[in-house]
Structures are given as C-alpha cells and as structure tokens.
Amino acid sequence: MQQNILKTGVTGLLSLALLVTAIPFGLNNAFTSSHREAPLISMDPTADQTDLYAYVSSEDEDNVVLVGNYSPLIPEGVGPNFHDPDTGVLYAFHIDNDGDAIEDITYAVRFRRKVKNGNTFLYNTQPVLKISDSNVTYVADVYKIMGKFNGRTSSRDRIATGLKVAPPVIGKKSQPNYENLAAEAISRFEDGGKIFMGQRDDPFFVDLELFNLLNLGGGKDSLAGANVFSIVMEIPKNKLTKSGEPIIGVWGTTSRRAFRTFRNGKRYDRGKWTQISRLGMPLVNEGVVPLAFKDFFNSSHPSNDADTAAYAQVILNSELGGLLNAVLGLEVPQQERQDIFQIFLQGVPDLNRPKNVRPAEMLRLNTSIAPATTPNRMGVLGGDIAGFPNGRRLGDDVTDITVQVVLGVLAKTFGLDFEAPEGYAAIGDGVDANDRSFSKSFPYLASPVR
C-alpha cells in the first residue's frame, strides 16, 4: 500500500532546489497546532489542549503512547503563581476502537491542590529535591470509563488516586535537578501502563514568520523556549483495541462545570461537565475550520461530524488550497477534495481506515504497525507508515505534511485526476525538527526549558 502512495506524483519533483511559501490574510495562528486556536479557549489557557499525539511505543511495541499537551506558551520562571494544572478541568483521552466515531474507552484525569503553609506567598521555601519539598503540590486521580463518555467520574471507574505531579519550572536555584522531580512523577497502573504529568518542552515546531504578511521565514522554531503542561500515558495495546481490529481513533477533550461563581475569594463550580476543547488531527481547527465554527467545533462530538453539513463542506472545499494558489500562482483544485476529506475524517485505505468507518475527525492509529527503526519526519509521505497521518509521533513534521497533502501529493491515491505541482516537496516552513531532542525513554518529551 505504501508503495502506491509514494509513487503518486513524486517522481521527478524533487529537483527544485528551493520553493518558499508565505500565507498572508491574518492566519498567524493557523499552524501553531492548537495553541489558542479558537476565541473562547484562547481566554482559558489551562483548559486549552495544544497538541495530541498517539503512536506505538518504540520502548515497548506492545504499548501505545498517548500525549496531551495543555497551557500554551508557558515561559520559564514566572511567579509567584506558576503554571499549574487546573483543578476545575476534566482532562480526557477518548478511544474509539470500532470505527463508529463513539468512544469505547476514556481515560480522564482530575487534579487536586495541596498547600502546606498558607501563611506565606512562597511556592517553595527551600530547595526542592523531591516533590514533597514544595509548599504547593498537586496530585491526580485517573479514571477509566468504558462506553460513551458523559463527563461523570465515579469511584468504581477510578484506576489510580493521589498520583504525584511534577512541579512547575521555578528555576535552577529552587530545583537543582528538575529531571529527578520528573522521574518521581512517573506512576504505574495496577492493570498495566504508566502515566506522567508535569511541564515539558513544547514538542511542536514551526516558523511563524511564514505567516507575517509575506515575510519569508528563516527556518527558526518560533516555539523554541516555550513549555507546556503534559499528560503522557503509555497503555498496553490490548487495553485499547477490540479483538480483530488493530485500528483505534483517538481524540482529546477538556471540560468544565457549566456554572462558576466567586464568593469571599473562593471559586465554586457547579452543574454538568461541559466540553470546551477538542483535538484530534493537528491543524484542523486552526487552518480548516472558519471563525464562525471554531468554538462550535471545540464543543462538538466526532459522531456528529458527518451530519454537520457546514463542517463537511469546509473539509471538502479547501480554503488553504486557495491561499496557496493565490500566493504561489498554482492551480491546485479547491473543490470536492475527497483526498483531504478521507485522510482527515476516515483514514487512509489499507493503512489506518477502520472497517465500516463513520466519517469523523480524530487521529487514527494502526497499532499493528511496528515503530520505524529510522523514523522519517514526513511520515507516510516519506515512506514511513508508522508516522503521520497514521497516528502522530513527536517528531512528525505535521505542518509540511499537511501543506503537501493540500497541494495534492495523495490526490491520485484517492482517485482524483490531478497531481501535486512541480516542486511541492520543497514547500514548507523550513523547520524540520524540534529545538530540543526527545528522550528515548518515557515520558519521551524533552525536559522543560529553565
């Protein structure tokens, strides 16, 4: 199958030495993955999921790694109140293992805050050599919900309680060995798997000068130096898949209570859990969903995607393709882009498309495909079927991959009668890797900047 994909429209197109593209019209946040991607969530950073990753672990091929990042653009050392997880947010990973666009398994996380001494303004009153040395600490409860997720968590679903959370980055004087603290925040589940919660370096990489009104990017990672709050889980495949079906769909959500009031300096959250952020495939809400629907998308469920005519139309009719045409003088078709529709809503045939799939936007991962010995940043487009859009690994260059898909690199594979333009392989933002190296061991993300 991968041979067919790679042969389509590739031969002879690598000879162009350099073709740089810039996309104007105010899309400066279009490719910052899900950092501040919609009006409402941009005002609620601790609930803002910036990125979602799902891939087979290279440490243990029997496991799947799930990564959810939140709180975009955390700088180092901002006190006295640092960037902590939010006790009023329900953070969740959803897994659909039969292709019907309804979650079969959900892992949900809630956080609790503990303060030793409330009579000081200090987050820590001594060097923090272990997590308990902090004056302020957080612990987490983890829930596993089988069947459709309705936001409720009950004790019978709780698989872990009081798990340690790595403290926020304060500085080297307060935290002389931060990675010791991070290692202390790795916990294991009784039924298999493990989890880490704490700050890490933001793994997403992109040059945002590309979107500064035709100011050509110089290949600089605009997110270098920024941290995020991460929840990293590694779960055995057999806990996620259904017998005979190795393909899973994954998306993340955050939810808050419907009502919030304040009295005497205290916050009170009431009512049902209400979804306020949703993330599956990268760049969808940013570069595909129009402004009028961005907040709606964050509150919606994948099972409704196929029935939302407006959403289906913005996928089929590519605005980004039109912008690329305008800037580069190309003639890439914008209308009836079944290739984009299928990749984002159904999966690639013979790779990560479930049987009898219901169109819905989510990351789809074929867990039967082993990790690549030498991963290619271009994933499937680079001949590496263990990478994006088959799930998403930390090092996958989703910006360049997405642009090239819009340009039509897979059009022939999906039965469309056009090819990507000459030189498409050189079109990108010039940033091919994260500014910091990833770890080969759990939790895989690079240490936070400090």
Side-chain angles (χ1 to χ4, degrees), residues 27 29-42 48-50 252 275-300 311 314-315 319 344 361 402:
L27 292 181
N29 285 322
F31 281 8
T32 49
S33 198
S34 276
H35 302 59
R36 300 174 54 82
E37 81 282 359
L40 289 178
I41 201 64
S42 68
D48 186 354
Q49 184 166 6
T50 67
Q275 180 182 309
I276 57 175
S277 178
R278 168 188 165 191
L279 180 58
M281 294 281 277
L283 312 178
V284 170
N285 203 347
E286 299 67 38
V288 177
V289 178
L291 283 170
F293 293 97
K294 286 185 178 295
D295 291 325
F296 170 79
F297 178 86
N298 270 342
S299 67
S300 66
Y311 179 60
V314 298
I315 296 290
E319 179 184 9
F344 278 87
E361 191 280 304
T402 300

Side-chain angles (χ1 to χ4, degrees), residues 126-303:
Q126 60 182 326
V128 180
L129 304 181
K130 56 184 183 298
I131 291 176
S132 60
D133 289 338
S134 293
N135 187 41
V136 179
T137 57
Y138 283 77
V139 296
D141 301 330
V142 182
Y143 302 83
K144 183 178 181 179
I145 297 94
M146 305 299 292
K148 189 168 176 58
F149 176 72
N150 60 8
R152 297 176 182 175
T153 55
S154 61
S155 59
R156 69 171 180 241
D157 299 319
R158 189 163 50 192
I159 62 173
T161 185
L163 301 183
K164 293 181 179 181
V165 178
V169 171
I170 297 174
K172 294 180 180 179
K173 185 176 181 180
S174 289
Q175 299 159 327
N177 193 328
Y178 188 84
E179 281 311 293
N180 282 355
L181 303 175
E184 190 183 346
I186 296 175
S187 302
R188 295 185 178 274
F189 301 127
E190 289 185 3
D191 65 345
K194 50 192 172 184
I195 186 170
F196 166 84
M197 295 159 288
Q199 284 187 14
R200 307 308 286 167
D201 171 70
D202 191 334
F204 189 64
F205 47 94
V206 68
D207 186 352
L208 294 180
E209 280 298 299
L210 191 67
F211 312 109
N212 184 17
L213 291 179
L214 297 178
N215 185 19
L216 300 181
K220 178 183 177 181
D221 184 358
S222 298
L223 297 181
N227 296 329
V228 287
F229 181 82
S230 300
I231 300 175
V232 186
M233 304 181 74
E234 186 163 327
I235 306 294
K237 292 179 185 178
N238 59 16
K239 301 291 184 182
L240 302 177
T241 58
K242 186 168 287 186
S243 178
E245 177 57 86
I247 298 172
I248 59 173
V250 183
W251 69 99
T253 63
T254 59
S255 302
R256 286 194 182 277
R257 298 288 190 182
F259 304 102
R260 171 177 291 181
T261 57
F262 295 90
R263 185 170 64 252
N264 298 327
K266 293 185 177 181
R267 185 185 78 189
Y268 299 88
D269 296 323
R270 301 279 190 273
K272 295 181 178 180
W273 288 105
T274 301
Q275 180 182 309
I276 57 175
S277 178
R278 168 188 165 191
L279 180 58
M281 294 281 277
L283 312 178
V284 170
N285 203 347
E286 299 67 38
V288 177
V289 178
L291 283 170
F293 293 97
K294 286 185 178 295
D295 291 325
F296 170 79
F297 178 86
N298 270 342
S299 67
S300 66
H301 190 276
S303 62

Side-chain angles (χ1 to χ4, degrees), residues 342-368:
Q342 291 184 56
I343 291 168
F344 278 87
L345 298 186
Q346 295 178 295
V348 179
D350 302 319
L351 178 62
N352 64 342
R353 179 179 296 183
K355 300 173 184 176
N356 304 313
V357 63
R358 178 178 177 82
E361 191 280 304
M362 61 184 71
L363 272 180
R364 299 190 190 276
L365 173 67
N366 188 333
T367 64
S368 69

Side-chain angles (χ1 to χ4, degrees), residues 1-8 10 348 380-381 409-410 413:
M1 169 267 158
Q2 63 268 37
Q3 295 299 321
N4 292 334
I5 287 180
L6 294 173
K7 287 179 180 178
T8 301
V10 175
V348 179
V380 172
L381 300 192
V409 65
L410 299 182
T413 301

Side-chain angles (χ1 to χ4, degrees), residues 57 59-60 63-66 189 192-195 232-236 442 444:
S57 170
E59 259 197 320
D60 186 342
N63 293 344
V64 168
V65 178
L66 304 175
F189 301 127
K194 50 192 172 184
I195 186 170
V232 186
M233 304 181 74
E234 186 163 327
I235 306 294
F442 188 85
Y444 306 116

Side-chain angles (χ1 to χ4, degrees), residues 379-390:
V380 172
L381 300 192
D384 179 1
I385 60 172
F388 185 77
N390 180 31

